[in-house]
Amino acid sequence: MHTDTYTTLCSMLEQKFHVDPARLSPGICLEEIGLDSLSLMEFVFNAEDTFHLRIPEDLLDPRQGGITLQHVCDVIEALQAAPATGTGA
């Protein structure tokens, strides 16, 4: 996990979702800090905008339980490291 990704996500959770920074750690489940499925979707959309990428739903499905901050970081970093794909159309 890159510190920049983690720090950015923590800042987002603090500022936009009013999460106490003392509660944040890589292994914390997002449900434990008060994100229900709707706010988790909003969090994912904010992360996509912040990192300028699209996260496939199967990687971060808001209906899944137990999504951790570490998992979100790992997904974002994997997408950033992946080569760009597309048809160029």
Side-chain angles (χ1 to χ4, degrees):
M1 172 176 64
H2 293 110
T3 304
D4 292 344
T5 305
Y6 178 74
T7 302
T8 300
L9 291 175
C10 286
S11 178
M12 182 187 313
L13 286 166
E14 293 169 33
Q15 294 173 9
K16 296 186 179 202
F17 296 89
H18 311 290
V19 175
D20 178 0
R23 297 187 67 201
L24 297 175
S25 69
I28 191 87
C29 288
L30 297 178
E31 294 165 339
E32 291 179 49
I33 55 173
L35 272 67
D36 59 15
S37 60
L38 183 60
S39 55
L40 178 57
M41 283 178 44
E42 186 179 345
F43 175 65
V44 169
F45 294 147
N46 276 278
E48 288 177 330
D49 290 344
T50 298
F51 292 98
H52 308 288
L53 49 80
R54 289 294 164 241
I55 300 171
E57 189 174 311
D58 62 323
L59 296 179
L60 282 179
D61 187 341
R63 297 167 296 204
Q64 291 175 324
I67 294 176
T68 64
L69 192 50
Q70 173 73 51
H71 181 68
V72 177
C73 288
D74 291 345
V75 166
I76 290 170
E77 291 167 1
L79 290 170
Q80 289 175 325
T85 59
T87 61

